[in-house]
Amino acid sequence: RALGDIALQSGRALDAAAMYRKTFTFPQSPTERVQNGYLLSLALSRAGKGDEASGELLKVLAIRPDFQPAAELLGKIRGR
């Protein structure tokens, strides 16, 4: 995940998304799934892949419906 964070902060959103996707090959707690799913969505959004980002955000919100960062990002992607 740290490599994804570095890539995202460096403006390499597609690289970050690829690295965040790899985190899902490991067992994760629900909290980790929410955090990593949000970061994957953020990277996808910044890479111009709004539909993919929206799909990931819906997965995050299915786990934790009250996760405001995910709800806010989904609203921005959908133009709300």
Side-chain angles (χ1 to χ4, degrees), residues 1-7 16 19-20 23 31-32 35-36 39:
R1 177 176 155 185
L3 294 175
D5 293 345
I6 292 168
M19 292 174 199
Y20 290 136
T23 65
T31 299
E32 290 169 324
Q35 292 170 349
N36 292 332
L39 290 170

Side-chain angles (χ1 to χ4, degrees), residues 6-36:
I6 292 168
L8 190 61
Q9 291 170 0
S10 300
R12 298 185 344 257
L14 283 176
D15 291 339
M19 292 174 199
Y20 290 136
R21 281 192 199 281
K22 290 180 182 180
T23 65
F24 298 107
T25 63
F26 301 98
Q28 297 182 51
S29 70
T31 299
E32 290 169 324
R33 172 66 180 102
V34 165
Q35 292 170 349
N36 292 332

Side-chain angles (χ1 to χ4, degrees), residues 7 9 11 24 34 41-42 50-51 61 63-64 67 69 73 79-80:
Q9 291 170 0
F24 298 107
V34 165
S41 301
L42 183 61
D51 289 341
L61 291 169
I63 297 168
R64 189 167 161 213
F67 190 64
L73 182 56
R80 295 182 190 156

Side-chain angles (χ1 to χ4, degrees), residues 54-67:
S54 293
E56 292 298 326
L57 288 166
L58 292 173
K59 292 177 189 176
V60 168
L61 291 169
I63 297 168
R64 189 167 161 213
D66 65 337
F67 190 64

